[in-house]
Amino acid sequence: MKKIIFLLAILGISLAFGAGEFDNVGGVVDSFDKQVSTTSGAGLRILMGWLPLICMGAGLFLAIKHSKQQADQDKDNNKVFITSAIATIAGAIVGVLIDAGIGAVLLQDSMKGLKVLTDYWTSALNI
């Protein structure tokens, strides 16, 4: 009885695949692959575009947190502003360097990573 059910199942499957209803599966998979690639590329462009600003914000936050403690101990409030400015600039530089590194790793050219950053903000600012 089990053999008959197994043979009927195999016959049903072979008829289903032979009916032509699965001919478009390749097209659907290709379309899905292109859509995922487009979405992933857009996400990476957004990440690379905002990464320098995120690093600037992180540098500013960490500098303020650290330098406030130092300024309270030293009684020097100018240290907060100087440290914050330096950390913000350093954060922007680190963000751009990370973009260049992503370009070097993924695109085999660090200048392409910087071009993605430039193109993102050029199109965002409509210049």
Side-chain angles (χ1 to χ4, degrees):
M1 185 68 181
K2 288 183 182 180
K3 289 182 181 182
I4 293 173
I5 293 174
F6 179 72
L7 290 173
L8 287 175
I10 293 206
L11 179 64
I13 291 171
S14 67
L15 289 175
F17 279 109
E21 294 161 348
F22 296 101
D23 291 343
N24 293 328
V25 171
V28 170
V29 170
D30 288 340
S31 174
F32 182 69
D33 184 45
K34 289 176 186 173
Q35 184 178 6
V36 168
S37 296
T38 302
T39 305
S40 300
L44 186 59
R45 279 192 298 274
I46 291 170
L47 175 69
M48 289 176 74
W50 284 96
L51 193 62
L53 294 176
I54 292 169
C55 290
M56 283 174 63
L60 180 63
F61 173 75
L62 293 173
I64 289 173
K65 186 177 176 183
H66 176 70
S67 62
K68 276 189 96 163
Q69 294 172 352
Q70 291 288 356
D72 289 342
Q73 292 174 357
D74 297 343
K75 304 287 189 229
D76 184 15
N77 288 332
N78 289 333
K79 187 179 269 189
V80 175
F81 297 116
I82 294 170
T83 306
S84 298
I86 292 171
T88 303
I89 293 169
I93 292 170
V94 166
V96 170
L97 289 175
I98 291 172
D99 278 348
I102 290 172
V105 171
L106 294 179
L107 306 171
Q108 304 301 320
D109 185 9
S110 60
M111 289 306 293
K112 287 181 182 176
L114 297 177
K115 179 142 177 55
V116 169
L117 175 67
T118 305
D119 291 346
Y120 178 82
W121 285 109
T122 302
S123 68
L125 298 173
N126 208 11
I127 297 174

